[in-house]
Amino acid sequence: MYRFPSSIARRTPRLIPTTPSPTKQYYHHKQSSHPHTITPSKTELANNQLTPQNLETAIHSLFHDGLVIIDNAIPHEPLDHLNTKMIEDAYTLQARNENSPYNYNPGNIQQDPPPIREYFSKDIFLNPLAIQITSTALGPRPKWTFCSGNTAMPPTSTCPPTSQPVHSDADFNHPSHPFAYVINVPLITMTPENGSTEIWLGTHRDSGLHVQEGAHGADRASGRIRVQELEKRRAVRRPCQPVVSKGSLVIRDLRLWHAGMGNQTGDVRVMVAMIHFAPWYRNKMRLELAEELRPVVERKTRLEVPVDWVAEEEAMARYLNRGFGNAYDFSQER
């Protein structure tokens, strides 16, 4: 039998202090009603990449909660530039009254960002931290096939601040495992006062047609969660309206229960929404972007981006007249 030298045998093991892993740190938090927020370091932002520890925390949060927030991920200048244009567009759309592209109630408008170079910031639409997280969670080269926005309008005498019903965007037969993540970018700080989205953490694993009512394509309110299911869930884990600071990314499982809330302030609150689908997920949607963006988008090889390229004039003439809500089909082909 091999024997260790006596000098080694007598040696007392030295306990090396270690930093708790993100998983252990997060365990006590996972039943909280509040989402987990990661604040990248200056080095992470400079490298366009989270550390393995922060990436693990993000994946853990998506698995257990269905949502994670990445703070301070986007410079404010491109947010301000886009916000000015989208506020102008929001009032244009609101003036269409019943023909405006609202979801569930007139105070919550769906609007697309202008798909041209002037307003297209890679920090917003091709954010490397968002892509790192979704490509880790879904597989290499997720498919970006949806780009729009959700706007909470200030109240008016005819349109008081009204909340959407709690719903899931996955209002169709879908896999029981992750297949799509929504990347939300608020253009200003979101608060309960200006309509921060109500989220029901952990419900992505309870999602399905068995808890919903309202068929996809039948009305503006498909995917509503049944009242009795809401009350059962509330007893386990209550919803919340988080404060999300300007410059943050919110990454959400498409299946998660949530509700757009009424804006009680005098300021328009715009939140850009994109969806990354798993590379194996057979969704047939395509983006429509101005041809001038082709070099910018096609250089980003970490995403698959199905695009119909059109002239800038055509893109600007069409982007406020696209379908909304149930006009989009997030399901996959057989």
Side-chain angles (χ1 to χ4, degrees), residues 117 122 126 293-302:
R117 186 70 187 91
K122 291 187 292 184
L126 296 170
L293 285 172
R294 187 193 290 261
V296 179
V297 172
E298 291 187 345
R299 277 201 302 266
K300 207 68 178 178
T301 57
R302 293 182 66 190

Side-chain angles (χ1 to χ4, degrees), residues 5 47 63 84 102 118 124 135 141 200 202 204 206 208 212 224 235-236 249 264 291-292 297 311:
N47 292 337
F63 180 81
T84 298
Y102 65 85
E118 179 183 352
I124 297 174
S135 61
R141 298 198 74 216
W200 293 63
H204 58 304
D206 299 323
Q212 300 178 20
R224 300 184 306 277
V236 175
L249 295 164
Q264 303 171 55
E291 178 69 37
E292 61 182 352
V297 172

Side-chain angles (χ1 to χ4, degrees), residues 125-141:
F125 296 100
L126 296 170
N127 186 274
L129 301 184
I131 296 171
Q132 182 191 16
I133 292 169
T134 60
S135 61
T136 301
L138 297 172
R141 298 198 74 216

Side-chain angles (χ1 to χ4, degrees), residues 8-290:
I8 296 178
R10 290 195 301 267
R11 193 173 295 162
T12 303
R14 182 167 60 93
L15 296 178
I16 301 174
T18 59
T19 302
S21 72
T23 302
K24 290 180 179 178
Q25 287 179 315
Y26 186 62
Y27 180 78
H28 72 279
H29 163 85
K30 67 180 181 181
Q31 289 303 313
S32 168
S33 293
H34 295 277
H36 194 73
T37 299
I38 296 170
T39 302
S41 66
K42 291 182 179 179
T43 301
E44 287 173 295
L45 293 174
N47 292 337
N48 291 324
Q49 186 169 320
L50 297 175
T51 62
Q53 292 85 352
N54 274 339
L55 182 58
E56 180 192 357
T57 300
I59 299 302
H60 192 275
S61 301
L62 288 174
F63 180 81
H64 285 283
D65 290 346
L67 184 143
V68 68
I69 298 171
I70 313 299
D71 193 29
N72 195 35
I74 302 172
H76 288 191
E77 184 177 355
L79 295 173
D80 293 338
H81 184 59
L82 180 60
N83 192 45
T84 298
K85 176 59 176 171
M86 291 192 72
I87 288 174
E88 175 187 323
D89 289 346
Y91 282 114
T92 298
L93 294 173
Q94 186 184 48
R96 297 177 183 178
N97 299 317
E98 272 301 308
N99 293 318
S100 70
Y102 65 85
N103 285 324
Y104 300 97
N105 64 69
N108 287 278
I109 292 175
Q110 180 178 330
Q111 65 172 120
D112 289 9
I116 61 173
R117 186 70 187 91
E118 179 183 352
Y119 299 102
F120 190 95
S121 166
K122 291 187 292 184
D123 290 319
I124 297 174
F125 296 100
L126 296 170
N127 186 274
L129 301 184
I131 296 171
Q132 182 191 16
I133 292 169
T134 60
S135 61
T136 301
L138 297 172
R141 298 198 74 216
K143 288 185 285 190
W144 174 30
T145 63
F146 176 86
C147 184
S148 191
N150 307 102
T151 300
M153 298 299 292
T156 66
S157 57
T158 58
C159 183
T162 307
S163 302
Q164 295 177 344
V166 179
H167 64 280
S168 168
D169 290 337
D171 58 348
F172 51 89
N173 281 317
H174 57 75
S176 59
H177 50 85
F179 64 94
Y181 287 111
V182 182
I183 295 101
N184 285 133
V185 178
L187 301 187
I188 62 174
T189 294
M190 292 197 306
T191 67
E193 290 72 30
N194 68 12
S196 177
T197 304
E198 179 182 273
I199 53 175
W200 293 63
L201 297 180
T203 54
H204 58 304
R205 293 195 281 182
D206 299 323
S207 181
L209 297 181
H210 63 288
V211 297
Q212 300 178 20
E213 55 187 4
H216 180 87
D219 54 36
R220 293 192 191 224
S222 62
R224 300 184 306 277
I225 306 301
R226 300 179 188 278
V227 173
Q228 60 269 32
E229 298 295 334
L230 291 175
E231 295 313 308
K232 285 196 299 184
R233 184 66 192 179
R234 195 187 303 273
V236 175
R237 197 172 184 185
R238 299 182 66 83
C240 80
Q241 274 186 273
V243 174
V244 181
S245 62
K246 181 178 175 180
S248 296
L249 295 164
V250 182
I251 302 180
R252 167 175 64 84
D253 193 302
L254 186 74
R255 300 169 294 168
L256 193 76
W257 303 359
H258 63 285
M261 306 300 283
N263 183 352
Q264 303 171 55
T265 74
D267 298 318
V268 176
R269 190 237 68 205
V270 181
M271 180 176 69
V272 173
M274 296 161 280
I275 301 178
H276 290 182
F277 289 96
W280 49 263
Y281 191 79
R282 300 173 298 280
N283 180 265
K284 60 184 179 181
M285 294 191 306
R286 299 173 65 87
L287 301 180
E288 182 177 276
L289 301 175

